[in-house]
């Protein structure tokens, strides 16, 4: 009897790339959408980056966008992501049609929209040549001389430079060495959000599983973030203070110390204001006068006095 081969769940990897954009440049005033309909009915373009608040990319946004995309001025950036597929004629036809339908459906000028094709696998040089693509002055960024695709750059993720701003897409490259370098770069950037770093840490762990390992669930970007939170809880529950001290970097320890000092100063300032309010109220000062001297609002002064009254009238546990 022939055993039926168990099929792997089909992962929608463009959604994971979209989540990476959402957690990075999406936190800087750029809206990120996945599977955007280009007309009234499907098909859907993989990713849309929509810049609403400025005419140009801000320095904060540039630090999170890869070469090619960060160099364009369009406010509507469309992305077709090829994670497991090779570059084909149909893939380019698809990109051309998506850009056209999105632009015309939204009544946008050609310069307002820019389509990019991102390839996890490096396209064959002969195929690139057949499509009119040549590498630009930026490593991994290819531009076409063909009349139909000249407005659609192609990013070969394996070949992008190791600059930190490329790491968020280069983490999806097909070559393990390039993927690993990108993930390491993300971990060393101290200004990134905890959610963004955790997201890529979990993806890195999933990608490191031996080939052929079957996962019973179809992962989603949201599930990846949930796994990250579960890992943190497990780590804290089963790690001793000494072990935790060894795991934390000196930079992160100093950051925690600085945060503790700042909170201590804030609490000290709050306590000082509270003491002044209570002293002035005890001497019969008007609430408006207390507020003016302490820099608080009358409502805040009333809240402090009410808090004092509530505390003093609450019976202790020993009564």
């Amino acid at each position: 009897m022939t055993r039926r081969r168990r099929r792997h769940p089909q992962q929608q990897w463009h959604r994971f790339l979209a989540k990476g954009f959402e957690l990075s440049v999406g936190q800087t005033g750029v809206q990120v959408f996945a599977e955007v309909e280009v007309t009234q009915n499907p098909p859907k373009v993989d990713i849309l980056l929509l810049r609403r608040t400025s005419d140009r990319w801000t320095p904060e946004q540039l630090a999170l966008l890869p070469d090619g995309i960060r160099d364009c001025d369009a406010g509507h950036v469309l992305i077709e992501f090829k994670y497991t597929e090779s570059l084909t004629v149909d893939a380019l036809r698809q990109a051309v049609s998506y850009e056209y339908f999105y632009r015309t459906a939204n009544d946008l000028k050609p310069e307002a929209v820019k389509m990019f094709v991102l390839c996890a696998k490096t396209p064959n040089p002969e195929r690139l040549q057949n499509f009119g693509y040549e590498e630009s002055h930026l490593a991994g960024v290819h531009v076409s001389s063909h009349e139909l695709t000249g407005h659609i750059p192609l990013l070969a993720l394996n070949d992008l430079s190791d600059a930190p701003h490329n790491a968020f897409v280069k983490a999806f490259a097909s070559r393990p060495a390039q993927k690993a370098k990108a993930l390491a770069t993300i971990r060393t950037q101290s200004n990134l959000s905890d959610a963004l770093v955790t997201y890529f840490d979990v993806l890195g762990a999933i990608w490191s599983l031996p080939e052929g390992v079957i996962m019973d669930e179809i992962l989603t970007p949201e599930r990846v973030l949930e796994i990250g939170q579960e890992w943190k809880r497990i780590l804290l529950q089963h790690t001793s203070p000494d072990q935790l001290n060894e795991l934390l970097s000196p930079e992160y320890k100093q950051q925690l110390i600085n945060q503790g000092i700042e909170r201590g100063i804030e609490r000290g300032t709050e306590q000082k204001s509270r003491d002044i309010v209570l002293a002035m109220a005890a001497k019969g000062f008007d609430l408006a006068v207390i507020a003016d001297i302490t820099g608080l609002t009358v409502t805040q002064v009333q809240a402090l006095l009410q808090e004092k009254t509530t505390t003093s009238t609450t019976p202790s546990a020993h009564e």
Side-chain angles (χ1 to χ4, degrees), residues 13 36 42 47 74 76 83 93 109 116 121 141 181 227 245 259 267 283 292 308 316 318:
W13 286 109
V36 178
I47 301 167
H76 300 248
Y83 186 72
R93 287 173 177 164
K109 295 180 179 179
F116 290 85
K121 296 181 177 180
V141 180
K181 282 196 294 185
I227 292 172
N245 184 56
Q259 289 176 348
R267 282 195 288 267
K283 293 182 179 297
D292 184 57
K308 172 64 176 176
S316 68
H318 299 289

Side-chain angles (χ1 to χ4, degrees), residues 59-74:
E60 189 179 14
Q61 292 164 351
L62 288 172
L64 301 165
L65 290 170
D67 288 334
I69 294 179
R70 71 200 309 267
D71 302 292
C72 79
D73 295 328

Side-chain angles (χ1 to χ4, degrees), residues 208-262:
S208 68
L209 293 173
E211 189 173 348
V213 171
I214 295 176
M215 299 182 66
D216 290 328
E217 65 174 319
I218 296 179
L219 286 177
T220 65
E222 292 71 27
R223 177 58 183 148
V224 168
L225 288 172
E226 288 177 3
I227 292 172
Q229 293 303 316
E230 290 171 5
W231 283 1
K232 290 178 185 178
R233 284 193 291 269
I234 293 172
L235 177 66
L236 291 175
Q237 288 173 357
H238 300 281
T239 305
S240 69
D242 290 340
Q243 290 174 323
L244 193 59
N245 184 56
E246 292 178 3
L247 291 172
L248 296 178
S249 67
E251 295 80 8
Y252 187 66
K253 291 177 188 175
Q254 187 59 50
Q255 183 181 346
L256 293 176
I257 291 172
N258 293 340
Q259 289 176 348
I261 292 172
E262 290 173 1

Side-chain angles (χ1 to χ4, degrees), residues 263-289:
R263 292 195 186 106
I265 293 172
E266 290 174 0
R267 282 195 288 267
T269 302
E270 292 172 0
Q271 184 61 46
K272 185 175 180 181
S273 296
R274 184 179 293 107
D275 292 343
I276 293 173
V277 167
L278 296 178
M280 293 182 71
K283 293 182 179 297
F285 281 87
D286 184 75
L287 295 183
V289 174

Side-chain angles (χ1 to χ4, degrees), residues 82-265:
K82 303 303 176 186
Y83 186 72
T84 56
E85 312 98 312
S86 300
L87 183 65
T88 63
V89 173
D90 281 346
L92 292 176
R93 287 173 177 164
Q94 187 181 50
V96 170
S97 61
Y98 283 6
E99 185 274 339
Y100 173 78
F101 286 125
Y102 178 85
R103 176 167 52 83
T104 55
N106 292 280
D107 195 23
L108 296 168
K109 295 180 179 179
E111 60 269 22
V113 181
K114 192 71 172 176
M115 165 66 79
F116 290 85
V117 176
L118 272 61
C119 295
K121 296 181 177 180
T122 301
N124 183 288
E126 184 178 351
R127 178 165 293 182
L128 285 173
Q129 185 177 7
N130 290 339
F131 295 149
Y133 277 99
E134 294 182 353
E135 191 169 57
S136 68
H137 67 286
L138 297 167
V141 180
H142 298 261
V143 292
S144 174
S145 57
H146 196 282
E147 182 178 3
L148 289 178
T149 56
H151 61 299
I152 300 179
L154 183 151
L155 273 60
L157 302 189
N158 284 313
D159 303 325
L160 291 175
S161 77
D162 294 331
H165 59 258
N166 285 327
F168 309 102
V169 297
K170 197 167 181 177
F172 289 87
S174 65
R175 295 175 187 165
Q178 298 300 325
K179 190 187 293 285
K181 282 196 294 185
L183 292 171
T185 298
I186 291 172
R187 294 189 194 101
T188 59
Q189 297 185 56
S190 59
N191 59 330
L192 302 180
S193 70
D194 179 66
L196 177 59
V197 176
T198 299
Y199 179 71
F200 278 102
D201 275 342
V202 177
L203 280 179
I206 293 171
W207 285 327
S208 68
L209 293 173
E211 189 173 348
V213 171
I214 295 176
M215 299 182 66
D216 290 328
E217 65 174 319
I218 296 179
L219 286 177
T220 65
E222 292 71 27
R223 177 58 183 148
V224 168
L225 288 172
E226 288 177 3
I227 292 172
Q229 293 303 316
E230 290 171 5
W231 283 1
K232 290 178 185 178
R233 284 193 291 269
I234 293 172
L235 177 66
L236 291 175
Q237 288 173 357
H238 300 281
T239 305
S240 69
D242 290 340
Q243 290 174 323
L244 193 59
N245 184 56
E246 292 178 3
L247 291 172
L248 296 178
S249 67
E251 295 80 8
Y252 187 66
K253 291 177 188 175
Q254 187 59 50
Q255 183 181 346
L256 293 176
I257 291 172
N258 293 340
Q259 289 176 348
I261 292 172
E262 290 173 1
R263 292 195 186 106
I265 293 172

